[in-house]
Amino acid sequence: MDITNQICFTIDGATAKDFDDAVSICKQGSDFKLGVHIADVSHFVRPNTSLDDCAKERGTSLYFPKLVVPMLPEELSNNLCSLIPNEDRHAMTCEMLFSSRGHLKKAWFYPSKIRSRQRFTYKQVQRIYEDKESHQYESQIRDCFELYRALWSQRLKRGTIDFDIPEPQIILDENYNVESIAPLERVDAHKMIEEFMIAANV
């Protein structure tokens, strides 16, 4: 399904090289229609091909400070299978309709063609939400946070445990020596995207 007319955007860390998920949101009365769009790697990597065998051998991408060893060739992981802005990309879309209180009314899946309009960072989205920065998609960002708060409230009612454990960030100098290790700053924008991904998985 061609949904390139929808306003989709990615939200990742500042150093991210590949963008494998995007979100879209719109209000329908008091309800929210949330879209979670996952890059469709299977469009390029067919079963039992050399690419598939190589990916199985690696098992996963490896992330190091200042270095990523991708599971797939870089032309796929950082380009054709990456939801980079202003490019048509294949995706698997999950759309969900939530009430204003965060109750799921219905959900549906389909293969899609999308076009990300913006590559956001977590900190940029947080600044927009806190009125420290303006943006043309500010209303969509605010809708995302409103839905996130409703979904989080529902999870608290179900007795969820919040493992808010600091993640270490290793800072290297120009010679790749460890300069310092400090907690990675975690803002609500991180939790918002996590909540949306959990909703799509559920």
Side-chain angles (χ1 to χ4, degrees), residues 10 12 16-22 38-41 44 72-90 114 116 119:
T10 60
D12 292 278
K17 296 288 191 299
D18 57 329
F19 314 116
D20 52 13
D21 51 71
I38 308 297
D40 185 7
V41 177
F44 297 95
L72 296 172
E74 198 169 331
E75 180 63 23
L76 288 179
S77 61
N78 288 8
N79 185 8
L80 294 174
C81 296
S82 185
L83 307 180
I84 55 181
N86 303 313
E87 296 286 347
D88 290 353
R89 289 292 183 259
H90 295 281
I114 71 165
S116 173
R119 179 265 200 268

Side-chain angles (χ1 to χ4, degrees), residues 44-107:
F44 297 95
V45 183
R46 299 299 185 185
N48 302 315
T49 59
S50 296
L51 271 175
D52 187 35
D53 291 341
C54 184
K56 285 177 184 174
E57 283 182 18
R58 293 192 177 208
T60 183
S61 297
L62 301 175
Y63 296 89
F64 302 99
K66 291 190 176 183
L67 175 67
V68 176
V69 181
M71 182 173 70
L72 296 172
E74 198 169 331
E75 180 63 23
L76 288 179
S77 61
N78 288 8
N79 185 8
L80 294 174
C81 296
S82 185
L83 307 180
I84 55 181
N86 303 313
E87 296 286 347
D88 290 353
R89 289 292 183 259
H90 295 281
M92 182 60 70
T93 288
C94 173
E95 288 192 316
M96 297 157 278
L97 189 67
F98 289 99
S99 72
S100 59
R101 294 190 175 183
H103 295 290
L104 181 64
K105 291 186 169 183
K106 61 178 180 178

